[in-house]
Amino acid sequence: MSRFDPRGKANRALLAGVSEYDHTAPDPQGVAGQLPAVRHNRTALEDALHRGGVFGAGEVRTLASPAPDDFTGALRRACREARGLLLLYFAGHAVTSTSGSELHLQMRTARVLTGHGLPGSVSFSQVLAELAESNAEQVVVILDCCYAGNAAGIWHRFDDPKRKKHKILLLMSVQPNRCILGGDADVATPFTRELTHALDAGGEVWLSGLYAAVKERMAAAKYRAEDDDPQRPQALAPPWDPEADVLLAAGPGSTETESDSSGGSWFTWLRGVFAGGREAGDRGAGDRGAGDGRAGDGKAGAGKAGARNAGAGKAGARKAGDRKAGVRKTGARQARRRKRPAPSGRMASAVLLALLATGAGGYGILALTGESAPCGPPLELRVLTDLDLEPVTRAAADAYVASDANTTGDGCRRSGVTVNSAGAAAVVTALGERTDAWQQPREDDNPQRDIGPQPDVWIPATRADVDRVTSAAARQDRVFARLEPQDGPLAYSPVVLAVPKARGAGLAPTGRSLAELLADLEQADATTELHRSDPESTDSALLATMGLYGDEPGARGAADARAAELRLARTARPEPSAARLLCTLPGDHAVDGRSAALVPEFLLKTGIGCHPATRVPRVAAYPDDVPGLEPAFVRVRWEDGDRDAEARDDAVNRFRTWLTGADGRAVLGEHGFRSATGERGLLDKASAPEGLTESVRPAGRADPSTMERALERYGNAHGPGRVLFLLDSSGSMAGRWDGSSGGPGILKQTLPGLGGEDEYGVWAVHGTGDRTHTELLPFGTHERSAAEHALDKAEVRDAEADPSGALRDALEFMRERGSDDERPQLIVHLTDGEDDGRLAGKALDDVLDRARDAGVPVAMVSLSSSGCDQGRPAPRIAEAGRGRCLDVGDDLVPDVHDEVARTGMGEE
């Protein structure tokens, strides 16, 4: 990105601020409350942008509490109209999905439905998709909401084959996995307040300087996020290089006064009025008992804890329809509980408290009174778990927090529990190798941002993860976290092959390896697809991958990782969790009906966040060479984390005792788990769904070194790739040669799917004798410009072609190159099909046999509309080589690009 001055261009700014919501608490489907401070955000930022001189008349549009359709419509319009800079701002409630992989911006009509999605919300991925396709040269997104920092991870995971997302820069109000407070009713929220001050600083304000100024001002003001954490703004792809920046304002000078981090002069005045009222009341009422002058419900976790949850992003304070374990009530709801009539000496104070409760939230009440509720703020336990285990861990935490075991004799909660999840491989790496960065995050290495807060308790899906962490930590000079695993697993859930009931009738449920089960399934119906989630994200997918690769000790036979990966359904990217996988399959009923999935068994009972009526019923087959899930309870102790060690140890021990006792086992049973010992019977047999075996013989336990080896092989199988292009250069191609829709032009458009580490080459296919091709581009790594130059020089030959000979040579060529590693490979054969007559009889059979044995997918690309018709050679070769057949009836160029991009690493 070059230094970008948008003045004089067609710029657009879209400012969406949701201050009013149709559904709020106490409605169980409502967000936590209204956000009156956001009204000031809209006007303050709009005025600052007008004063800045970058955006002209009519180029700044504000949306006051829009519905989703209003927001997306305005966004699309801004994307069409902007030719220079497009600035998108959002303030309001936001939540993340259960896995944390998506951020949902909640519009005016937002509701929270348990397990059934988030109506009235717009996903940040959808926003990114619109912005990436916009006509703007540069895009700046500013988010002032809960979980704003999570947008950075979504940006990184965003599928961007056209390399358009890099024009999008993000400025976020808080670090990932954090909620923010709602601010005061009479002023803008803290982040936006400091943002507008920085924009009004005078002179040119570039994005790099704006971020630095806002960060400095917020640190100086000591703004706090939820749980009393510092609120620290974040930036994605910050333009630190002076030659790579975006101008946001160019005003003549400052028009704003210094901010008051306490909320402004009204707050100071109000505190004085309240103090005077309190003194008068105390003189008239005399001495009272400690409880009489305090508000709140002992079991609500009021006081400081309640105050922290009263604000803006708190509506979205919980992931995808889920409230935090140990829910604390908002200030407005606390105020409604205050039934005591105020004495006459305190009437003014009572009125002010009511105003604060409905406007500024609990923070204002406590800041003014300086008093606490009968129950002090409970200690908050931080629990980190596997993505697949998050729903059941959260359910257990909810039940524990509300239980007698977590309640004192005075009816107060002892602790709350925050459950967070992250990718299993990333967690193992962070706990084993990056605990120093977790303690002291850096811009380039920040587990607190990428994974979550330092956990007190870690619940991995298998005890082997603990050994992996310990082994990695032993190689470090200094480790800042110590793991203390509890003996024995909490429960057991086998990893199963979940097969549509209609296709699994003849499948032996036990006593077979995964390879044998898949062979049986494929023999019964060759159209069956196999799906698996991301092995780097969840242990269940990694354990299943060990079975696919034949990596489990004692497994019968061994598989090549590249060949094993070819057995899986071809998707743009694997889903991050098995729950997400089972939720996406029903999106296409035909796909759902022919798809087998490698998932933890417990998900077949509890289901996932999509409506069960849309899902194809499945039966479980139990491969005996795939280890099952055995969740472990691990205490994590942090260096210099002993300030409240005794209280934290007590809270951890109480949670562990409850979780391993009858009540905890009941929750695990409700979610489909089995006993961790004996015959591994279901903990809740009464409600077991059809298709499950009553008892199972568990496979061997997961081995740490085998898991690491499988991850390495998976990485190799998805690492730098090899692609060989065969370009039909015979005389019949003359009319399909020039331009972007001609043979060389189509191949040129696939090159962005290949990166600097990928190896590829181009053969010109012509000739019917001993030599069936010539080399246009030598096989190896290339600069894109060199590859394009070679294709530009390609010529049609006055000759016929022998595609069977060229394909045989290509399959042998690629087999030799892939003999020593597991890197992904692909052959792309592009032709008009005029010489298909030579792909018949023995010649075709020979090609089909080689395609089956080579382990190299073959993409057959036909410039004929009938090239992939049933019975033609192209689809038969593609099927034999586990590739695809594409013709002009498909969206040809994007589809060929996607095939290449799945094999290659893409341009950096």
Side-chain angles (χ1 to χ4, degrees):
M1 182 180 73
S2 60
R3 190 172 171 89
F4 183 67
D5 184 343
R7 285 177 289 188
K9 301 178 183 288
N11 306 312
R12 292 294 184 271
L14 182 63
L15 314 182
V18 189
S19 52
E20 283 77 36
Y21 284 86
D22 293 347
H23 309 282
T24 59
D27 181 349
Q29 296 180 0
V31 300
Q34 308 293 0
L35 300 175
V38 173
R39 300 174 194 157
H40 304 287
N41 290 20
R42 294 192 302 259
T43 57
L45 185 55
E46 180 182 16
D47 291 344
L49 292 177
H50 280 306
R51 288 190 295 267
V54 168
F55 295 93
E59 291 188 340
V60 180
R61 181 183 180 188
T62 60
L63 296 175
S65 302
D69 288 345
D70 297 329
F71 173 79
T72 55
L75 177 60
R76 284 193 291 269
R77 177 180 173 183
C79 289
R80 287 195 308 269
E81 295 176 350
R83 293 295 188 275
L85 172 63
L86 173 55
L87 186 149
L88 173 66
Y89 169 88
F90 173 82
H93 289 308
V95 294
T96 65
S97 61
T98 302
S99 66
S101 61
E102 185 56 84
L103 177 67
H104 298 272
L105 309 181
Q106 295 184 295
M107 303 300 158
R108 175 177 53 80
T109 58
R111 291 184 296 147
V112 179
L113 305 181
T114 303
H116 288 77
L118 297 162
S121 300
V122 177
S123 72
F124 189 66
S125 293
Q126 178 184 347
V127 172
L128 281 181
E130 294 283 356
L131 295 174
E133 295 294 333
S134 72
N135 294 318
E137 290 183 55
Q138 293 293 337
V139 179
V140 174
V141 179
I142 303 176
L143 299 176
D144 192 359
C145 58
C146 279
Y147 301 109
N150 289 50
I154 298 168
W155 185 96
H156 282 296
R157 293 188 297 272
F158 183 70
D159 190 18
D160 183 35
K162 299 178 182 178
R163 304 288 294 173
K164 291 186 175 183
K165 73 180 182 183
H166 293 276
K167 69 180 178 180
I168 304 172
L169 302 179
L170 306 182
L171 193 57
M172 300 157 282
S173 63
V174 69
Q175 55 268 44
N177 305 311
R178 299 293 196 285
C179 287
I180 58 175
L181 306 181
D184 304 315
D186 286 5
V187 291
T189 55
F191 171 76
T192 299
R193 189 157 70 245
E194 300 301 349
L195 182 74
T196 55
H197 278 293
L199 285 170
D200 279 321
E204 293 185 347
V205 180
W206 295 80
L207 181 58
S208 60
L210 177 72
Y211 173 52
V214 172
K215 191 173 184 179
E216 181 180 356
R217 290 177 67 93
M218 294 191 73
K222 298 181 178 180
Y223 292 114
R224 315 304 290 180
E226 182 198 37
D227 290 339
D228 209 31
D229 285 337
Q231 181 181 351
R232 296 192 295 266
Q234 308 285 303
L236 174 72
W240 306 130
D241 184 350
E243 298 306 316
D245 217 337
V246 177
L247 184 70
L248 294 179
S254 176
T255 60
E256 293 285 320
T257 59
E258 284 294 306
S259 69
D260 182 349
S261 62
S262 69
S265 59
W266 72 272
F267 192 95
T268 305
W269 169 83
L270 204 51
R271 184 190 292 274
V273 172
F274 181 86
R278 182 172 59 190
E279 291 171 4
D282 288 344
R283 286 195 298 270
D287 193 8
R288 286 180 168 80
D292 291 345
R294 296 177 180 177
D297 180 341
K299 291 187 179 181
K304 180 181 178 183
R308 288 199 301 265
N309 289 277
K314 193 58 199 166
R318 292 305 114 219
K319 294 184 177 181
D322 193 291
R323 304 291 185 192
K324 183 177 184 177
V327 174
R328 301 159 184 154
K329 310 301 181 182
T330 64
R333 294 171 72 182
Q334 289 174 350
R336 286 194 289 272
R337 289 198 198 89
R338 294 188 173 96
K339 303 298 185 182
R340 304 179 191 275
S344 58
R346 291 194 173 187
M347 187 60 68
S349 301
V351 172
L352 292 174
L353 282 173
L355 289 172
L356 282 168
T358 57
Y363 173 82
I365 298 171
L366 292 172
L368 288 169
T369 64
E371 296 180 307
S372 62
C375 296
L379 183 147
E380 195 71 19
L381 287 183
R382 302 178 296 268
V383 177
L384 177 62
T385 191
D386 186 277
L387 288 171
D388 280 338
L389 297 180
E390 183 181 11
V392 64
T393 304
R394 193 177 294 279
D398 287 343
Y400 167 71
V401 166
S403 70
D404 291 341
N406 191 45
T407 306
T408 68
D410 296 328
C412 296
R413 283 181 178 157
R414 299 178 184 274
S415 65
V417 182
T418 298
V419 177
N420 184 52
S421 66
V427 171
V428 168
T429 300
L431 285 172
E433 304 174 11
R434 298 170 59 203
T435 52
D436 56 339
W438 217 331
Q439 287 261 96
Q440 297 292 331
R442 303 188 297 268
E443 289 288 347
D444 62 335
D445 190 5
N446 189 348
Q448 290 192 24
R449 173 193 63 211
D450 302 333
I451 294 175
Q454 296 166 247
D456 301 304
V457 175
W458 177 35
I459 301 181
T462 171
R463 171 64 185 265
D465 283 346
V466 179
D467 298 329
R468 293 167 65 197
V469 169
T470 303
S471 176
R475 298 190 292 268
Q476 304 302 309
D477 294 333
R478 188 176 179 189
V479 178
F480 293 82
R482 186 175 77 254
L483 304 185
E484 296 178 357
Q486 172 196 303
D487 292 336
L490 296 171
Y492 179 76
S493 184
V495 175
V496 301
L497 181 64
V499 184
K501 190 174 181 180
R503 297 184 178 222
L507 203 62
T510 60
R512 308 276 281 170
S513 69
L514 179 57
E516 290 169 333
L517 288 172
L518 292 176
D520 293 345
L521 193 60
E522 194 170 79
Q523 185 174 3
D525 192 333
T527 64
T528 301
E529 295 181 1
L530 178 64
H531 293 261
R532 174 211 59 196
S533 54
D534 187 352
E536 294 180 328
S537 292
T538 65
D539 278 341
S540 70
L542 179 56
L543 298 177
T545 301
M546 289 161 53
L548 284 172
Y549 294 176
D551 268 345
E552 177 60 16
R556 295 187 288 278
D560 172 68
R562 183 174 65 234
E565 290 294 319
L566 290 178
R567 304 187 75 162
L568 294 156
R570 300 175 68 82
T571 56
R573 62 158 62 91
E575 294 295 341
S577 68
R580 182 64 186 164
L581 169 62
L582 289 176
C583 190
T584 56
L585 287 177
D588 186 324
H589 191 73
V591 171
D592 200 21
R594 64 174 180 263
S595 295
L598 289 163
V599 297
E601 180 201 41
F602 75 89
L603 286 175
L604 299 184
K605 175 180 179 180
T606 57
I608 43 199
C610 52
H611 200 285
T614 67
R615 297 165 56 197
V616 169
R618 286 181 163 79
V619 296
Y622 298 79
D624 61 8
D625 60 344
V626 177
L629 302 190
E630 297 182 293
F633 190 100
V634 184
R635 173 73 164 101
V636 186
R637 297 186 183 277
W638 294 88
E639 185 172 305
D640 299 327
D642 54 358
R643 185 178 60 181
D644 58 353
E646 186 174 341
R648 199 160 289 275
D649 281 346
D650 178 68
V652 169
N653 290 336
R654 288 178 181 275
F655 181 43
R656 181 182 59 204
T657 300
W658 181 92
L659 189 58
T660 55
D663 291 336
R665 285 169 58 85
V667 174
L668 294 172
E670 290 171 4
H671 282 73
F673 278 84
R674 295 176 176 267
S675 169
T677 58
E679 295 184 352
R680 306 301 197 273
L682 289 162
L683 292 173
D684 181 12
K685 298 179 182 179
S687 60
E690 290 186 45
L692 304 188
T693 298
E694 184 173 336
S695 63
V696 298
R697 184 181 67 183
R701 287 192 166 176
D703 176 71
S705 60
T706 308
M707 294 175 75
E708 292 290 350
R709 170 64 178 151
L711 266 181
E712 180 184 357
R713 297 183 71 188
Y714 174 77
N716 291 339
H718 292 270
R722 298 187 182 100
V723 180
L724 179 60
F725 296 97
L726 307 186
L727 175 61
D728 185 351
S729 302
S730 63
S732 62
M733 287 284 291
R736 299 175 177 178
W737 195 258
D738 298 326
S740 60
S741 61
I746 292 174
L747 295 192
K748 284 172 66 175
Q749 293 174 77
T750 71
L751 296 179
L754 297 165
E757 297 181 63
D758 297 316
E759 295 179 287
Y760 58 100
V762 184
W763 290 358
V765 177
H766 59 88
T768 58
D770 294 337
R771 187 172 181 83
T772 60
H773 65 273
T774 57
E775 192 177 74
L776 277 177
L777 180 70
F779 195 84
T781 57
H782 301 282
E783 295 287 340
R784 180 178 170 184
S785 58
E788 289 179 337
H789 181 65
L791 288 168
D792 287 338
K793 292 171 58 179
E795 297 178 347
V796 176
R797 308 299 180 99
D798 184 15
E800 294 182 344
D802 179 9
S804 63
L807 283 166
R808 287 195 303 269
D809 291 346
L811 287 163
E812 184 60 29
F813 180 88
M814 295 296 279
R815 180 208 287 270
E816 292 175 358
R817 270 138 194 84
S819 61
D820 297 329
D821 59 42
E822 296 166 323
R823 289 171 55 181
Q825 300 192 118
L826 176 68
I827 294 172
V828 178
H829 181 225
L830 189 150
T831 177
D832 61 357
E834 290 293 327
D835 295 299
D836 278 1
R838 291 187 174 86
L839 274 172
K842 187 177 182 305
L844 177 59
D845 291 341
D846 191 14
V847 171
L848 294 175
D849 289 341
R850 292 185 185 228
R852 293 187 188 100
D853 295 339
V856 183
V858 181
M860 300 293 290
V861 182
S862 176
L863 299 183
S864 166
S865 60
S866 60
C868 292
D869 286 355
Q870 187 174 3
R872 294 291 295 270
R876 295 180 63 187
I877 295 170
E879 182 181 358
R882 293 185 181 271
R884 290 183 67 188
C885 187
L886 301 166
D887 60 28
V888 293
D890 301 294
D891 196 357
L892 193 60
V893 173
D895 285 352
V896 179
H897 171 275
D898 290 347
E899 289 298 301
V900 172
R902 289 190 184 100
T903 305
M905 298 291 287
E907 295 180 332
E908 294 299 327

